[in-house]
Amino acid sequence: MKILHITSHMGGGVGKAISDTVLNDTKNAHTILLLESPKNSIYADKCKKENISVLEVPSIKEIDNRIASTDVVILHWWDHPVMGKFFMEFPKVKGRYVIWIHVSGCTYPNVPFEFLEKFKRVLFTTPYSYEKYNSNLEQKEYLEKKSDVIYGLGELKSYDEKQDYSIHEKYIIGYVGTFTKSKLNNEFIQACERIIKRLKRVEFLMIGNMEDTSWILEKINEKHIEKYFNFTGFLPSIEECLKNIDVFGYPLNPFHFGSTENVILEAMSVGIPIVCLNQSTEKYIIDNEKNGLLADNMEDYVEKIIKLCEDRELAKQLGESAKNSIKEKYNLKDNIEKLNFVLEPLLAEEKIELRFEYETIEQYFLNFVGENERKFLLNCSPENVQYICNNFPIFCEQNKSSFLQFYRYFPEDEWIRQWQDAIIRYNKK
């Protein structure tokens, strides 16, 4: 098959998933089309080095020609503004279009059924995505027939050497990822403080980009516990750091947008015991008390962290089981084979033209928010701004499909500008 990938960019976990998939698929010919130039070109360069065609910001004519001459088009979606622009001006070219959703879709960015049913095939990156449709069994049954779970994962190395489960000078609790309020649980620092009081010799190893950390640093300084935290900043490779971690603490906001959660998988591949909250996509990755621990709430999260510090044999058992889970369930080769199994039958189907009824960016934006958010977002009143900022922090971030990110791509849109200005004013109070 000739497969065309259309993606906003190739940064982060999505970039790794796309590059490792195309580089390890020996059956098909892949082309990658980037709608914007990459800020971090590591994965694009990796593909180019192996003679994978990567087109950066091609012309409309080039896009049309590529779609027309390919067998299957995979659109990688997580509600990036540049993809929104692409959908508003969608090519009038027939193709076999597949959508690969790289967020859970259960919270913002929300994925409505009417959007998904337009495509030949839907690829989710977590089984959790089906829960969105639990209230409508007809829609759920339709999607179950039309969709598959293809993890957005890269190649996970298998570590056969034994992880050191002995007690170190410090008990190191690791976290890898973004530190934004929409991803990390807002009670995280309070939980850390309770752990510090009980363990004393503890260090929180925080690996990730330092953007949007001001709220965490402020709370740490208020509580005078900064000496217990080690912020590394972004690291191109985290393998060596992972080997020094005693437990991987990953308590996320209950309304986070994550799906495959590659950082959990990477920690499991090293043999680190995991503690997550019993929610969202985490409960589909962690089999409680078998390959990790799931906490009922943040108080229970603290207790489970303490338990693993005190019971090193349990930590060892969970870590070794986690490594086996990666080999059995999150194998890149198997993931690629399943992708091919899903795509090959599409060759027998006719190509179709896709149409989307988004005349303004406001229409597009509101299509991917939940009903509760939509009723507040329709009116940019001070009361609604306050409600959105306090209850849906993702709309106020620099990126992650926020108003501020959409404004950078659509500064001329009055509705986007009003919300961007209102959020900035509110956050300055």
Side-chain angles (χ1 to χ4, degrees):
M1 287 181 291
K2 290 190 292 184
I3 301 173
L4 175 64
H5 299 261
I6 301 180
T7 179
S8 302
H9 57 68
M10 282 182 72
V14 174
K16 181 174 174 59
I18 295 173
S19 64
D20 283 4
T21 295
V22 303
L23 289 171
N24 288 278
D25 180 13
T26 57
K27 292 183 64 176
N28 304 304
H30 295 266
T31 299
I32 302 170
L33 191 158
L34 306 181
L35 295 176
E36 68 175 10
S37 297
K39 295 176 183 177
N40 183 344
S41 63
I42 181 172
Y43 297 118
D45 291 344
K46 190 177 176 182
C47 291
K48 292 176 183 177
K49 187 177 179 181
E50 298 299 324
N51 296 318
I52 301 292
S53 179
V54 179
L55 309 175
E56 297 182 15
V57 200
S59 66
I60 294 174
K61 183 178 180 181
E62 176 73 1
I63 295 174
D64 291 352
N65 290 338
R66 291 285 178 170
I67 292 174
S69 62
T70 200
D71 294 315
V72 176
V73 179
I74 299 179
L75 296 154
H76 295 267
W77 188 91
W78 61 93
D79 201 22
H80 191 284
V82 76
M83 184 61 76
K85 187 174 188 299
F86 182 74
F87 277 120
M88 291 176 66
E89 304 167 353
F90 203 83
K92 297 179 180 179
V93 182
K94 291 183 178 180
R96 299 182 187 92
Y97 294 102
V98 174
I99 188 86
W100 198 345
I101 307 293
H102 291 277
V103 290
S104 72
C106 296
T107 59
Y108 183 73
N110 203 287
V111 187
F113 173 80
E114 294 74 19
F115 174 71
L116 297 179
E117 67 177 342
K118 292 178 179 291
F119 299 92
K120 288 281 188 181
R121 202 77 189 164
V122 174
L123 307 179
F124 291 122
T125 43
T126 173
Y128 173 55
S129 296
Y130 292 104
E131 289 192 19
K132 172 179 169 55
Y133 308 96
N134 282 346
S135 60
N136 191 321
L137 293 181
E138 185 177 342
Q139 289 184 357
K140 187 173 183 179
E141 289 176 1
Y142 174 85
L143 278 177
E144 285 174 342
K145 294 176 182 177
K146 186 176 183 170
S147 66
D148 297 89
V149 174
I150 307 293
Y151 298 111
L153 56 83
E155 190 167 16
L156 295 164
K157 294 183 179 179
S158 177
Y159 294 87
D160 294 323
E161 66 268 27
K162 297 294 183 182
Q163 176 80 2
D164 182 8
Y165 297 100
S166 61
I167 297 176
H168 304 144
E169 182 181 348
K170 288 183 179 179
Y171 187 62
I172 299 180
I173 302 170
Y175 174 88
V176 181
T178 58
F179 305 123
T180 58
K181 288 183 178 180
S182 63
K183 193 70 186 283
L184 190 57
N185 194 288
N186 60 15
E187 295 179 23
F188 177 72
I189 298 303
Q190 294 94 311
C192 292
E193 185 182 29
R194 293 198 293 272
I195 292 170
I196 290 167
K197 289 178 179 178
R198 293 174 63 179
L199 293 183
K200 304 298 182 184
R201 292 193 310 168
V202 65
E203 177 183 298
F204 296 93
L205 182 61
M206 312 292 286
I207 304 172
N209 198 307
M210 292 299 290
E211 290 181 5
D212 299 318
T213 57
S214 58
W215 71 281
I216 293 181
L217 297 175
E218 185 178 319
K219 286 187 176 182
I220 289 172
N221 292 331
E222 282 177 3
K223 296 178 181 295
H224 306 292
I225 54 176
E226 56 269 20
K227 70 178 182 180
Y228 296 97
F229 288 81
N230 178 8
F231 287 88
T232 68
F234 172 78
L235 297 176
S237 175
I238 63 172
E239 291 173 12
E240 290 306 313
C241 283
L242 287 176
K243 292 178 182 179
N244 296 321
I245 291 173
D246 292 292
V247 62
F248 195 79
Y250 201 63
L252 301 183
N253 185 311
F255 305 108
H256 75 87
F257 49 84
S259 55
T260 301
E261 291 298 343
N262 279 283
V263 292
I264 296 180
L265 305 183
E266 289 181 25
M268 291 172 71
S269 71
V270 181
I272 303 174
I274 315 285
V275 182
C276 295
L277 294 175
N278 189 9
Q279 61 183 22
S280 307
T281 188
E282 298 98 302
K283 66 180 183 282
Y284 288 94
I285 300 172
I286 300 299
D287 191 354
N288 191 33
E289 298 185 349
K290 293 183 179 179
N291 64 358
L293 296 179
L294 292 173
D296 294 328
N297 49 50
M298 288 302 285
E299 289 77 14
D300 191 32
Y301 167 80
V302 171
E303 295 304 320
K304 284 179 165 51
I305 292 286
I306 302 293
K307 182 177 182 178
L308 288 178
C309 177
E310 296 174 343
D311 191 342
R312 305 307 291 162
E313 186 58 34
L314 175 61
K316 179 179 179 179
Q317 291 172 4
L318 293 175
E320 293 299 327
S321 179
K323 282 202 288 190
N324 293 331
S325 295
I326 293 301
K327 295 175 183 177
E328 294 169 6
K329 188 176 178 181
Y330 298 99
N331 182 292
L332 179 61
K333 180 181 177 182
D334 292 343
N335 206 54
I336 292 171
E337 286 182 358
K338 185 176 180 182
L339 175 63
N340 287 331
F341 180 79
V342 169
L343 297 182
E344 284 169 1
L346 297 181
L347 297 179
E349 298 187 20
E350 291 185 4
K351 292 184 176 184
I352 61 169
E353 187 176 317
L354 282 187
R355 303 306 318 140
F356 298 95
E357 309 301 325
Y358 308 127
E359 295 182 3
T360 66
I361 194 59
E362 178 181 353
Q363 289 180 348
Y364 173 85
F365 192 101
L366 290 173
N367 192 59
F368 297 101
V369 302
E371 292 182 10
N372 188 44
E373 297 98 308
R374 187 180 292 113
K375 67 183 181 183
F376 290 96
L377 292 173
L378 288 172
N379 185 343
C380 189
S381 65
E383 296 78 16
N384 286 358
V385 172
Q386 180 179 0
Y387 182 85
I388 289 295
C389 289
N390 290 340
N391 293 279
F392 302 99
I394 190 169
F395 290 109
C396 308
E397 291 187 4
Q398 294 297 319
N399 297 300
K400 308 301 180 188
S401 310
S402 68
F403 277 110
L404 277 65
Q405 185 184 34
F406 267 81
Y407 177 75
R408 293 199 295 273
Y409 290 83
F410 300 95
E412 74 288 347
D413 186 89
E414 180 63 18
W415 182 76
I416 292 288
R417 187 191 62 77
Q418 282 184 351
W419 269 100
Q420 189 250 193
D421 292 347
I423 288 170
I424 290 175
R425 284 196 302 271
Y426 182 83
N427 288 332
K428 283 182 178 179
K429 291 180 181 179

